[in-house]
C-alpha cells in the first residue's frame, strides 16, 4: 500500500510540474505590474487627446526632470511613455527608427538612458497592424520578434500595443504572439494590450499582458460614448479579473 501511495504521489507531482511549465510557456513571464503602473504619457498632452499627438526629445526630458523634482517618483509615478508620436521609417534592415525631426539621433536609446538616469522607466507605443493609428507610421505586424528585440536593446521598460490596421485574426492570438516575442528577449518589459475592449480582453489578458484597455479612447467629456461617465460604467464588474501582475485599464 505504501509503495502504491508513493507512486501515485510521484505521478500527481509530475502532473503539477507539467501543468506549471505549460502555464509558464503560455503566459507573460516578466514579474512586473505587481501594483497598477503609474506615469506620464504624451497622449492628450499637447493637443486635443491625440489629434496631432506631438512629442519631442526635449519635452520628454523635461517631463522626467519634473517628475523627480516634484517628488512624484517617490509616490509611485515611474513611467515616462511615448504614444503614437515617435516613429520614423524602418531602416534598410527593417529595424524601427525614431523620427529624426523629434529625436535627432534617430534612435530612442539616448532618451531611454536619460530617463533611466533619473531613476524612472521608459515606455513606447507600437501597433499590432501594418500601420499605427496616427499618420500611418510603421506598424509591427510581421516584425514582432525584430521589434521586441529592438525595444530590449534600447532598454525600454513598457510597451503599449494598439490595434489599428490589425490582421484578420482574433486579438488574443495576435497579442499572444507579441507576448512570446517579448519573452524571447529576456528583458522584463511591461506589456499593455490596447484593443479597446472589443474582444473582452479581461477574460484573457492576465495570461497575455500586464494591463488591458477595457474601452475606446477617453475623450475629455462627460456625456459621450467615449467620455468619462461611459468609461467609469465600463469598469463595473471587472475587478475580479484584476490582480497583481495584470490590471484593467480604463
Amino acid at each position: 500500500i505504501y509503495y502504491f501511495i508513493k507512486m501515485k504521489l510521484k505521478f500527481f507531482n509530475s502532473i503539477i510540474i507539467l501543468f506549471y511549465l505549460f502555464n509558464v510557456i503560455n503566459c507573460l513571464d516578466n514579474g512586473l505590474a505587481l501594483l497598477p503602473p503609474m506615469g506620464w504619457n504624451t497622449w492628450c498632452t499637447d493637443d486635443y487627446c491625440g489629434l496631432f499627438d506631438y512629442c519631442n526629445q526635449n519635452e520628454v526630458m523635461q517631463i522626467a526632470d519634473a517628475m523627480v523634482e516634484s517628488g512624484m517618483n517617490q509616490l509611485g509615478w515611474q513611467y515616462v511613455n511615448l504614444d503614437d508620436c515617435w516613429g520614423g521609417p524602418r531602416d534598410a534592415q527593417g529595424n524601427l527608427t525614431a523620427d529624426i525631426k523629434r529625436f535627432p539621433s534617430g534612435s530612442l536609446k539616448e532618451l531611454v538612458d536619460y530617463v533611466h538616469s533619473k531613476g524612472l522607466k521608459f515606455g513606447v507605443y507600437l501597433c499590432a497592424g501594418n500601420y499605427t493609428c496616427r499618420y500611418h507610421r510603421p506598424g509591427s505586424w510581421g516584425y514582432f520578434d525584430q521589434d521586441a528585440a529592438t525595444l530590449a536593446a534600447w532598454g525600454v521598460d513598457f510597451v503599449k500595443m494598439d490595434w489599428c490596421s490589425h490582421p484578420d485574426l482574433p486579438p488574443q492570438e495576435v497579442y499572444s504572439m507579441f507576448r512570446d516575442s517579448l519573452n524571447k528577449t529576456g528583458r522584463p518589459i511591461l506589456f499593455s494590450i490596447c484593443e479597446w475592449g472589443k474582444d473582452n480582453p479581461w477574460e484573457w489578458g492576465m495570461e497575455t499582458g500586464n494591463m488591458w484597455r477595457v474601452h475606446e479612447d477617453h475623450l475629455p467629456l462627460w456625456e459621450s460614448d467615449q467620455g468619462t461617465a461611459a468609461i467609469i460604467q465600463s469598469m463595473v464588474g471587472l475587478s475580479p479579473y484584476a490582480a497583481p501582475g495584470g490590471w484593467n485599464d480604463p
Side-chain angles (χ1 to χ4, degrees), residues 16-212:
I16 293 295
I17 291 170
L18 288 173
F19 178 79
Y20 173 76
L21 290 174
F22 178 81
N23 277 279
V24 169
I25 293 169
N26 291 278
C27 69
L28 182 63
D29 185 21
N30 63 17
L32 300 177
L34 299 182
L35 294 173
M38 299 193 300
W40 175 87
N41 186 291
T42 58
W43 193 257
C44 296
T45 301
D46 295 314
D47 57 69
Y48 186 78
C49 280
L51 183 62
F52 303 107
D53 195 23
Y54 183 75
C55 64
N56 65 71
Q57 184 157 315
N58 287 336
E59 175 192 44
V60 177
M61 293 170 68
Q62 291 170 11
I63 290 294
D65 293 342
M67 286 177 65
V68 174
E69 292 166 4
S70 66
M72 292 179 68
N73 60 322
Q74 300 299 320
L75 300 176
W77 299 83
Q78 294 184 304
Y79 290 93
V80 177
N81 290 358
L82 307 183
D83 212 272
D84 188 3
C85 64
W86 66 272
R90 291 187 180 274
D91 67 16
Q93 290 73 43
N95 296 311
L96 291 168
T97 70
D99 183 343
I100 59 173
K101 294 179 181 178
R102 303 181 182 198
F103 304 92
S105 71
S107 165
L108 294 180
K109 183 68 169 66
E110 179 181 331
L111 183 56
V112 172
D113 289 346
Y114 183 84
V115 171
H116 285 169
S117 75
K118 297 294 179 177
L120 300 171
K121 298 179 180 179
F122 189 89
V124 298
Y125 166 105
L126 296 179
C127 196
N130 293 314
Y131 302 100
T132 69
C133 296
R134 285 285 179 270
Y135 304 110
H136 281 203
R137 298 180 176 97
S140 290
W141 182 244
Y143 294 88
F144 279 9
D145 282 356
Q146 189 169 355
D147 289 356
T150 297
L151 300 191
W154 285 346
V156 168
D157 307 293
F158 180 118
V159 58
K160 165 189 170 182
M161 178 165 273
D162 218 337
W163 191 234
C164 289
S165 65
H166 58 81
D168 188 20
L169 293 169
Q172 182 178 2
E173 181 176 343
V174 175
Y175 283 101
S176 294
M177 291 177 186
F178 192 67
R179 170 204 64 196
D180 295 343
S181 296
L182 291 174
N183 280 342
K184 290 176 187 176
T185 70
R187 177 175 178 78
I189 300 177
L190 193 153
F191 186 23
S192 173
I193 296 166
C194 184
E195 54 84 77
W196 319 313
K198 298 295 186 182
D199 205 42
N200 297 347
W202 47 89
E203 295 179 352
W204 45 268
M206 184 66 79
E207 65 193 42
T208 309
N210 298 111
M211 54 194 293
W212 44 89

Side-chain angles (χ1 to χ4, degrees), residues 200-242:
N200 297 347
W202 47 89
E203 295 179 352
W204 45 268
M206 184 66 79
E207 65 193 42
T208 309
N210 298 111
M211 54 194 293
W212 44 89
R213 282 275 296 277
V214 303
H215 199 276
E216 295 176 299
D217 289 349
H218 173 243
L219 298 178
L221 305 168
W222 186 261
E223 296 295 339
S224 165
D225 290 342
Q226 292 179 245
T228 304
I231 290 179
I232 291 173
Q233 188 63 32
S234 71
M235 295 287 284
V236 173
L238 298 186
S239 58
Y241 296 97

